[in-house]
Amino acid sequence: MTTRPYVLLSCAMSIDGYIDDATTERLLLSNDDDLDRVDATRAGCDAIMVGAATVRRDDPRLLVRSERRRAERVARGLPPSPVKVTVTGSGDLDPRARFFTAGDGLKLVYCPSGVVDKAREQVGAVSTVVDAGDPATPEAVVADLAGRGVARLMVEGGGSVHRQFLTAGLADELHLVVAPFFVGDGRAPRFVGDGRFPWHPGRRARVVEVRQIGDVVLTRYALSDRCPA
Ligand SMILES: NC(=O)c1ccc[n+]([C@@H]2O[C@H](COP(=O)([O-])OP(=O)(O)OC[C@H]3O[C@@H](n4cnc5c(N)ncnc54)[C@H](OP(=O)(O)O)[C@@H]3O)[C@@H](O)[C@H]2O)c1
């Protein structure tokens, strides 16, 4: 059996736990130095995953930004940026989204069996659509990624995807950045919604690092024994 990829979750939130606001504009939570740290973390991964809602709302490129880091990856025999991964239950993805148009690397779209045909119609020309079962589960996604040689997966959100990896016990490490302001709007999305998480008052996660980066604070949590101290 192939070992499942090491799974690193990355998230930036406000002091009151929101990962965005309720407007149509993208909310900037990180600062430049922290975005550079995220870039370095991306460069160290084989694949980066976001949910379809994030693809639609944020339209992220999900590429390694630093030319030096891209060159270092290529020198190691890797593509300049990690494989891009998303999951959709609706199949409603726009082939003009930057997830698909930015970069020449592999783009993987996981979806439930019944949505494969629709997803292929929508984005089959610009990505590889993969049947992730019925329902599609994070277990199926990581198993398929392992089979494709992905050893290190970075999950960048949103909350729905983070919640599923956390509650399934599929997360090895969490990078949580807290930005120094409040959103204070219950219509905005939070880091994660309700669920039965493996870490609770009776089983506390281990903090492996706390670092101030300009005006934000990064906390790194070990969520499994695979996470080095
Ligand atoms: N601050 C941060 O670090 C950060 C990072 C990323 C995103 N965000 C924010 O997060 C918000 C989006 O979060 P979100 O929780 O609404 O959405 P999300 O996690 O980005 O995506 C959820 C969508 O992914 C698909 N999906 C997830 N799990 C699935 C499964 N098991 N099977 C099939 N499809 C599945 C569904 O797509 P369909 O709708 O197509 O069925 C679902 O609606 C945005 O506001 C974004 O700005 C913040």
Side-chain angles (χ1 to χ4, degrees):
M1 212 176 101
T2 325
T3 315
R4 78 156 167 83
Y6 186 90
V7 178
L8 187 162
L9 309 189
S10 174
C11 180
M13 67 180 195
S14 61
I15 293 174
D16 50 347
Y18 290 101
I19 58 170
D20 197 359
D21 60 21
T23 70
T24 52
E25 300 299 311
R26 186 176 184 174
L27 177 68
L28 188 64
L29 288 145
S30 284
N31 56 40
D32 287 349
D33 286 345
D34 185 53
L35 289 172
D36 188 58
R37 175 198 61 83
V38 171
D39 195 57
T41 306
R42 274 185 187 170
C45 290
D46 302 306
I48 311 176
M49 177 170 183
V50 295
T54 296
V55 172
R56 288 191 291 262
R57 178 170 160 78
D58 294 353
D59 196 17
R61 289 185 181 82
L62 299 180
L63 299 176
V64 173
R65 294 179 190 196
S66 150
E67 206 177 315
R68 174 180 56 80
R69 291 183 189 123
R70 287 199 304 271
E72 282 169 3
R73 284 179 56 93
V74 171
R76 284 163 44 215
L78 300 171
S81 289
V83 170
K84 298 192 215 180
V85 180
T86 192
V87 59
T88 176
S90 66
D92 287 331
L93 287 166
D94 186 339
R96 293 166 301 179
R98 290 191 287 201
F99 177 93
F100 300 106
T101 59
D104 297 328
L106 180 64
K107 290 111 189 168
L108 297 170
V109 175
Y110 291 90
C111 62
S113 312
V115 180
V116 168
D117 287 348
K118 178 180 174 188
R120 288 213 173 113
E121 230 169 79
Q122 303 266 114
V123 292
V126 287
S127 66
T128 302
V129 174
V130 184
D131 185 340
D134 202 6
T137 61
E139 287 87 347
V141 171
V142 293
D144 184 82
L145 288 173
R148 293 173 190 272
V150 170
R152 199 171 168 87
L153 169 67
M154 180 171 180
V155 181
E156 294 205 26
S160 158
V161 168
H162 276 151
R163 183 186 55 77
Q164 292 176 66
F165 274 84
L166 287 164
T167 55
L170 287 174
D172 297 297
E173 183 172 343
L174 168 63
H175 293 187
L176 189 62
V177 161
V178 178
F181 58 82
F182 294 79
V183 169
D185 184 343
R187 295 168 304 168
R190 286 190 181 270
F191 169 38
V192 285
D194 297 352
R196 286 172 65 89
F197 296 91
W199 304 274
H200 45 73
R203 184 169 178 246
R204 295 157 77 104
R206 185 163 50 94
V207 174
V208 286
E209 184 187 357
V210 179
R211 196 193 320 165
Q212 180 171 351
I213 305 169
D215 66 352
V216 305
V217 175
L218 162 72
T219 307
R220 283 203 303 124
Y221 295 92
L223 301 181
S224 85
D225 295 340
R226 294 173 85 190
C227 179

